[in-house]
Amino acid sequence: YTTLFRSHLSDHKQMFRMLARLGSRKHKTRMQSKPLPMLRTRQGDMVTSYAQQQMLWLNQFAKIEAGVRVTWESLRDADATMPDLPLDIQEAAAFPTDWDLQAAVAKMKRGKAPGPNGITPCLLKAGGSTFSKHFAALTTKVVAHGKEPSSWKGGKLVPLYKGRDSTADPAAYRAIYISDHTSKLYHRMLCSQLERPWTASMDLLQAGGRKSMGTDVAHHMVEAHQYWCRKKKLPSAVVFST
Protein backbone atom coordinates (compact mmCIF):
# COMPACT_ATOMS: atom_id res chain seq x y z
CA TYR A 1 0.00 0.00 0.00
CA THR A 2 2.95 2.36 0.35
CA THR A 3 3.36 2.82 -3.40
CA LEU A 4 -0.39 3.24 -3.79
CA PHE A 5 -0.52 5.91 -1.06
CA ARG A 6 2.32 7.89 -2.59
CA SER A 7 0.61 8.00 -5.95
CA HIS A 8 -2.56 9.50 -4.41
CA LEU A 9 -1.06 11.94 -1.90
CA SER A 10 -2.19 14.95 -3.91
CA ASP A 11 -5.76 13.63 -4.21
CA HIS A 12 -7.20 14.30 -0.75
CA LYS A 13 -10.61 12.80 -1.53
CA GLN A 14 -9.08 9.57 -2.74
CA MET A 15 -6.82 9.39 0.32
CA PHE A 16 -9.79 9.86 2.64
CA ARG A 17 -11.74 7.09 0.90
CA MET A 18 -8.80 4.68 1.07
CA LEU A 19 -8.11 5.34 4.75
CA ALA A 20 -11.80 5.10 5.64
CA ARG A 21 -12.06 1.78 3.79
CA LEU A 22 -8.96 0.30 5.43
CA GLY A 23 -9.78 1.53 8.93
CA SER A 24 -13.46 0.71 9.08
CA ARG A 25 -14.66 -2.67 10.32
CA LYS A 26 -18.39 -2.34 10.02
CA HIS A 27 -20.23 -0.84 7.11
CA LYS A 28 -23.14 1.15 8.45
CA THR A 29 -26.32 1.02 6.47
CA ARG A 30 -27.70 4.32 5.36
CA MET A 31 -30.80 5.36 7.28
CA GLN A 32 -33.94 5.61 5.24
CA SER A 33 -35.48 9.04 5.03
CA LYS A 34 -38.81 9.44 6.78
CA PRO A 35 -41.55 11.84 5.72
CA LEU A 36 -42.39 14.75 7.96
CA PRO A 37 -45.29 14.03 10.32
CA MET A 38 -48.65 15.59 9.67
CA LEU A 39 -49.43 18.07 12.44
CA ARG A 40 -52.77 19.12 13.84
CA THR A 41 -53.79 22.50 15.16
CA ARG A 42 -55.58 22.98 18.47
CA GLN A 43 -58.85 22.99 16.56
CA GLY A 44 -58.05 19.51 15.20
CA ASP A 45 -57.42 20.59 11.60
CA MET A 46 -54.54 19.02 9.67
CA VAL A 47 -51.69 21.29 8.57
CA THR A 48 -51.47 21.01 4.79
CA SER A 49 -48.62 23.35 3.82
CA TYR A 50 -45.02 24.01 4.86
CA ALA A 51 -45.79 27.66 5.66
CA GLN A 52 -48.59 26.66 8.03
CA GLN A 53 -46.30 24.15 9.72
CA GLN A 54 -43.57 26.75 10.26
CA MET A 55 -46.08 29.25 11.64
CA LEU A 56 -47.38 26.60 14.02
CA TRP A 57 -43.86 25.91 15.30
CA LEU A 58 -43.20 29.65 15.58
CA ASN A 59 -46.24 30.35 17.72
CA GLN A 60 -45.71 27.30 19.94
CA PHE A 61 -42.00 27.79 20.64
CA ALA A 62 -42.41 31.55 21.10
CA LYS A 63 -44.95 30.83 23.82
CA ILE A 64 -42.81 28.14 25.49
CA GLU A 65 -39.55 30.11 25.36
CA ALA A 66 -41.26 33.42 26.24
CA GLY A 67 -39.94 34.81 22.97
CA VAL A 68 -40.98 37.98 21.20
CA ARG A 69 -41.70 37.64 17.50
CA VAL A 70 -39.48 40.08 15.59
CA THR A 71 -39.02 40.23 11.84
CA TRP A 72 -35.59 40.47 10.26
CA GLU A 73 -36.48 43.86 8.79
CA SER A 74 -37.28 45.37 12.19
CA LEU A 75 -34.14 43.80 13.68
CA ARG A 76 -31.93 45.34 10.98
CA ASP A 77 -33.60 48.71 11.46
CA ALA A 78 -32.94 48.54 15.21
CA ASP A 79 -29.29 47.66 14.63
CA ALA A 80 -28.88 50.52 12.16
CA THR A 81 -30.20 53.10 14.64
CA MET A 82 -28.11 51.79 17.55
CA PRO A 83 -25.26 54.24 18.31
CA ASP A 84 -21.62 53.10 18.50
CA LEU A 85 -19.76 52.90 21.80
CA PRO A 86 -17.67 55.91 22.84
CA LEU A 87 -14.00 55.49 22.14
CA ASP A 88 -12.90 56.34 25.68
CA ILE A 89 -14.54 53.28 27.31
CA GLN A 90 -12.90 50.67 25.11
CA GLU A 91 -10.16 48.57 26.72
CA ALA A 92 -7.38 46.72 24.93
CA ALA A 93 -8.14 43.51 26.84
CA ALA A 94 -11.62 43.38 25.28
CA PHE A 95 -10.24 42.74 21.79
CA PRO A 96 -9.83 38.99 21.09
CA THR A 97 -6.37 38.05 19.89
CA ASP A 98 -5.37 35.52 17.30
CA TRP A 99 -4.12 33.17 20.01
CA ASP A 100 -7.35 33.43 22.02
CA LEU A 101 -9.41 32.49 18.97
CA GLN A 102 -7.20 29.53 18.14
CA ALA A 103 -7.45 28.27 21.72
CA ALA A 104 -11.26 28.62 21.64
CA VAL A 105 -11.51 26.81 18.30
CA ALA A 106 -9.36 23.97 19.65
CA LYS A 107 -11.89 23.41 22.47
CA MET A 108 -14.80 23.03 20.04
CA LYS A 109 -16.22 19.55 19.69
CA ARG A 110 -16.47 17.91 16.31
CA GLY A 111 -19.69 16.54 14.91
CA LYS A 112 -21.89 19.44 15.99
CA ALA A 113 -24.72 20.53 13.75
CA PRO A 114 -24.04 23.73 11.79
CA GLY A 115 -26.04 26.90 12.21
CA PRO A 116 -27.77 28.93 9.48
CA ASN A 117 -24.44 29.76 7.80
CA GLY A 118 -23.59 26.06 7.38
CA ILE A 119 -20.12 26.29 9.01
CA THR A 120 -19.22 23.34 11.24
CA PRO A 121 -16.53 23.16 13.98
CA CYS A 122 -14.54 20.79 11.75
CA LEU A 123 -14.34 23.51 9.10
CA LEU A 124 -13.18 26.08 11.66
CA LYS A 125 -10.50 23.70 12.90
CA ALA A 126 -9.35 23.07 9.35
CA GLY A 127 -8.95 26.83 8.83
CA GLY A 128 -6.18 26.96 11.43
CA SER A 129 -4.23 30.17 11.85
CA THR A 130 -5.51 31.57 8.54
CA PHE A 131 -9.08 31.58 9.79
CA SER A 132 -8.14 32.94 13.24
CA LYS A 133 -6.24 35.87 11.73
CA HIS A 134 -9.11 36.91 9.46
CA PHE A 135 -11.68 36.38 12.21
CA ALA A 136 -9.57 38.39 14.67
CA ALA A 137 -9.65 41.34 12.27
CA LEU A 138 -13.44 41.03 12.04
CA THR A 139 -13.99 40.75 15.79
CA THR A 140 -11.72 43.75 16.35
CA LYS A 141 -14.07 45.89 14.26
CA VAL A 142 -17.10 44.46 16.06
CA VAL A 143 -15.68 45.20 19.51
CA ALA A 144 -14.54 48.68 18.45
CA HIS A 145 -18.04 49.64 17.33
CA GLY A 146 -19.79 47.70 20.09
CA LYS A 147 -22.24 46.27 17.57
CA GLU A 148 -22.23 42.77 16.15
CA PRO A 149 -23.63 41.97 12.68
CA SER A 150 -27.31 41.15 12.39
CA SER A 151 -26.45 37.82 10.75
CA TRP A 152 -24.75 36.71 13.99
CA LYS A 153 -28.02 37.02 15.88
CA GLY A 154 -30.70 34.40 15.93
CA GLY A 155 -30.51 30.80 14.81
CA LYS A 156 -32.69 27.82 14.01
CA LEU A 157 -35.27 26.19 16.27
CA VAL A 158 -35.42 22.51 15.33
CA PRO A 159 -38.36 20.47 16.68
CA LEU A 160 -37.39 17.16 18.30
CA TYR A 161 -39.94 14.47 19.08
CA LYS A 162 -40.03 13.57 22.78
CA GLY A 163 -40.88 9.93 22.11
CA ARG A 164 -44.34 9.91 23.60
CA ASP A 165 -47.82 11.09 22.68
CA SER A 166 -48.95 11.44 19.10
CA THR A 167 -46.56 12.66 16.41
CA ALA A 168 -49.37 14.87 15.09
CA ASP A 169 -49.53 16.82 18.35
CA PRO A 170 -47.14 19.83 18.32
CA ALA A 171 -46.93 19.68 22.13
CA ALA A 172 -45.12 16.32 21.81
CA TYR A 173 -42.03 18.13 20.49
CA ARG A 174 -39.35 20.21 22.17
CA ALA A 175 -37.12 22.77 20.51
CA ILE A 176 -33.35 22.67 20.03
CA TYR A 177 -31.76 26.04 19.34
CA ILE A 178 -28.89 25.92 16.82
CA SER A 179 -26.86 29.09 16.24
CA ASP A 180 -23.78 29.82 14.16
CA HIS A 181 -20.50 28.57 15.60
CA THR A 182 -18.79 31.80 14.53
CA SER A 183 -21.14 33.85 16.70
CA LYS A 184 -20.65 31.36 19.56
CA LEU A 185 -16.92 31.87 19.22
CA TYR A 186 -17.29 35.64 19.48
CA HIS A 187 -19.67 35.41 22.44
CA ARG A 188 -17.24 33.08 24.20
CA MET A 189 -14.57 35.76 23.90
CA LEU A 190 -16.91 38.29 25.50
CA CYS A 191 -17.83 35.93 28.33
CA SER A 192 -14.17 35.28 29.11
CA GLN A 193 -13.67 39.03 29.62
CA LEU A 194 -16.66 39.24 31.97
CA GLU A 195 -15.93 36.13 34.02
CA ARG A 196 -12.73 37.39 35.65
CA PRO A 197 -14.08 40.59 37.29
CA TRP A 198 -17.44 38.96 37.86
CA THR A 199 -16.00 35.97 39.74
CA ALA A 200 -13.56 38.11 41.73
CA SER A 201 -16.24 40.47 43.08
CA MET A 202 -19.22 38.13 43.43
CA ASP A 203 -19.99 36.53 46.77
CA LEU A 204 -23.47 35.19 46.01
CA LEU A 205 -24.09 31.91 44.25
CA GLN A 206 -24.81 32.31 40.55
CA ALA A 207 -25.50 28.99 38.84
CA GLY A 208 -25.23 28.64 35.11
CA GLY A 209 -23.01 31.67 34.57
CA ARG A 210 -19.83 30.79 36.45
CA LYS A 211 -17.23 28.11 35.86
CA SER A 212 -17.98 24.78 37.56
CA MET A 213 -21.38 26.15 38.63
CA GLY A 214 -23.83 24.63 36.19
CA THR A 215 -27.58 24.67 36.39
CA ASP A 216 -27.62 21.10 37.70
CA VAL A 217 -26.11 22.40 40.96
CA ALA A 218 -29.03 24.79 41.42
CA HIS A 219 -31.48 22.01 40.57
CA HIS A 220 -30.10 19.72 43.27
CA MET A 221 -30.07 22.55 45.82
CA VAL A 222 -33.71 23.40 45.15
CA GLU A 223 -34.74 19.74 45.28
CA ALA A 224 -32.88 19.24 48.57
CA HIS A 225 -34.47 22.36 50.07
CA GLN A 226 -37.97 21.32 49.02
CA TYR A 227 -37.42 17.81 50.39
CA TRP A 228 -36.26 19.22 53.72
CA CYS A 229 -39.32 21.49 53.93
CA ARG A 230 -41.67 18.61 53.24
CA LYS A 231 -40.05 16.50 55.94
CA LYS A 232 -40.24 19.36 58.46
CA LYS A 233 -43.74 20.32 57.26
CA LEU A 234 -42.66 23.90 56.66
CA PRO A 235 -44.10 26.20 53.99
CA SER A 236 -41.72 27.09 51.16
CA ALA A 237 -41.75 28.85 47.81
CA VAL A 238 -39.36 29.05 44.88
CA VAL A 239 -39.20 32.30 42.93
CA PHE A 240 -37.50 32.48 39.52
CA SER A 241 -36.47 35.83 38.12
CA THR A 242 -34.97 36.77 34.75
Side-chain angles (χ1 to χ4, degrees), residues 135-189:
F135 196 67
L138 181 59
T139 53
T140 299
K141 296 180 180 179
V142 173
V143 175
H145 292 281
K147 185 190 305 182
E148 64 182 69
S150 301
S151 58
W152 290 10
K153 301 178 181 180
K156 295 188 298 184
L157 278 177
V158 180
L160 181 63
Y161 181 57
K162 297 180 181 179
R164 58 181 184 271
D165 298 333
S166 174
T167 57
D169 185 10
Y173 296 82
R174 64 182 180 91
I176 298 179
Y177 182 74
I178 303 177
S179 58
D180 293 334
H181 292 282
T182 50
S183 61
K184 288 182 180 179
L185 187 60
Y186 168 69
H187 294 157
R188 185 177 300 176
M189 296 294 101

Side-chain angles (χ1 to χ4, degrees), residues 47-218:
V47 177
T48 57
S49 64
Y50 178 77
Q52 293 178 355
Q53 183 191 55
Q54 294 298 304
M55 187 59 63
L56 183 62
W57 292 130
L58 178 63
N59 295 330
Q60 176 182 338
F61 293 143
K63 183 178 180 180
I64 295 176
E65 303 292 339
V68 179
R69 294 176 54 181
V70 179
T71 61
W72 280 109
E73 290 77 10
S74 59
L75 181 61
R76 294 191 187 99
D77 295 340
D79 290 342
T81 57
M82 184 181 301
D84 296 342
L85 289 177
L87 297 178
D88 55 348
I89 67 172
Q90 297 175 359
E91 298 182 2
F95 294 91
T97 61
D98 183 12
W99 176 255
D100 295 334
L101 293 173
Q102 290 189 42
V105 172
K107 295 180 180 179
M108 286 186 171
K109 297 182 179 180
R110 300 179 182 269
K112 296 294 184 178
N117 60 4
I119 299 178
T120 61
C122 295
L123 187 59
L124 298 180
K125 291 177 179 291
S129 60
T130 303
F131 162 75
S132 60
K133 290 179 181 178
H134 286 80
F135 196 67
L138 181 59
T139 53
T140 299
K141 296 180 180 179
V142 173
V143 175
H145 292 281
K147 185 190 305 182
E148 64 182 69
S150 301
S151 58
W152 290 10
K153 301 178 181 180
K156 295 188 298 184
L157 278 177
V158 180
L160 181 63
Y161 181 57
K162 297 180 181 179
R164 58 181 184 271
D165 298 333
S166 174
T167 57
D169 185 10
Y173 296 82
R174 64 182 180 91
I176 298 179
Y177 182 74
I178 303 177
S179 58
D180 293 334
H181 292 282
T182 50
S183 61
K184 288 182 180 179
L185 187 60
Y186 168 69
H187 294 157
R188 185 177 300 176
M189 296 294 101
L190 292 182
C191 291
S192 63
Q193 298 296 329
L194 297 175
E195 285 177 358
R196 287 191 289 268
W198 183 20
T199 307
S201 60
M202 177 175 288
D203 298 329
L204 300 178
L205 175 65
Q206 178 67 30
R210 300 174 63 183
K211 189 176 182 180
S212 69
M213 297 293 294
T215 54
D216 54 343
V217 178

